[in-house]
Amino acid sequence: MTGNTKGQKARTNTTKDSVHTVQYDRKVRLLLWGGAYAQTDNSAFQMAAINVAKDYKRDDKNKYEIINKRLRSLQSLVLEINNQKPNSIRSLDIFTHGGPDNFFMVTVRDDKDGGFLNDIRLYRYVFHNDSFSRAHLRKLKFDNFSEDAKVEIHGCQTAANSDNIVADFSKYLIDAGKTKSVVIGHTTKADPLINGKGRGLCF
């Protein structure tokens, strides 16, 4: 069948009841939590992520896919971001311990590995350190973020001064052409509110 528009002919589909599937990739909200030595801290991070996911579901009206994953290592953080599709990450929320230069994560979680020394915070975070540092940002595929991506780092003091990992994250996004993106960090200690009560998770 042909149609005539201003003297030009165009072919149209005439198969009765035919359906053409158009691939549509939904953008995602990525919520990543964990990396702490204490399981109680990880549970609090998980609950905070669940609360944020509920807010997204209420506000988005099912517009975006919500991906909620536990972080077990530095590499898992990199993979969760890099495994998304280009221009797909509408928002990223990271729930970990943190500081101006790092998202703090550890490789041990009980005193079976290292004995009583694991009760000492310095030992855990220096000798069993798996922290995501500012230098690790270059491993991320920033093309996977949408142009107007919102990134929020929920760890303590990640934006405590003008030179920090949050500012670096923002620069990488801008360099990738994500000119309407925003990165949010804490200038002071952060404390996830679970049922209205703080957990006191910061160092």
Side-chain angles (χ1 to χ4, degrees), residues 21-158:
T21 301
V22 178
Q23 185 66 37
Y24 174 70
D25 294 323
R26 296 175 67 193
K27 294 192 185 303
V28 302
R29 292 199 182 279
L30 193 57
L31 294 91
L32 306 176
W33 56 271
Y37 169 78
Q39 185 55 44
T40 53
D41 288 7
N42 288 321
S43 295
F45 289 145
Q46 182 183 22
M47 289 303 301
I50 289 172
N51 288 339
V52 171
K54 288 179 180 178
D55 290 340
Y56 284 147
K57 287 179 181 179
R58 183 191 65 237
D59 297 339
D60 292 342
K61 307 302 182 186
N62 210 29
K63 183 178 180 180
Y64 304 112
E65 178 183 358
I66 295 178
I67 300 175
N68 192 331
K69 292 286 188 72
R70 179 174 181 173
L71 294 173
R72 297 185 181 275
S73 67
L74 178 161
Q75 190 60 25
S76 68
L77 190 155
V78 174
L79 288 176
E80 290 298 340
I81 293 173
N82 290 355
N83 284 344
Q84 304 306 315
K85 295 180 179 180
N87 301 309
S88 68
I89 303 175
R90 177 62 181 84
S91 66
L92 168 66
D93 290 86
I94 299 177
F95 303 84
T96 66
H97 288 305
D101 299 316
N102 300 79
F103 308 146
F104 296 134
M105 291 180 280
V106 293
T107 56
V108 296
R109 289 185 171 73
D110 59 48
D111 54 15
K112 293 179 182 178
D113 183 6
F116 72 92
L117 288 173
N118 283 329
D119 292 331
I120 303 173
R121 184 183 64 193
L122 181 62
Y123 173 82
R124 297 197 307 264
Y125 284 93
V126 173
F127 296 99
H128 292 79
N129 185 19
D130 195 33
S131 292
F132 184 97
S133 70
R134 297 168 71 171
H136 289 111
L137 286 170
R138 65 173 61 98
K139 296 178 178 288
L140 300 181
K141 294 182 179 179
F142 286 91
D143 286 342
N144 290 354
F145 290 85
S146 66
E147 183 186 13
D148 58 348
K150 187 269 293 182
V151 176
E152 186 162 0
I153 312 302
H154 297 266
C156 295
Q157 299 178 337
T158 51

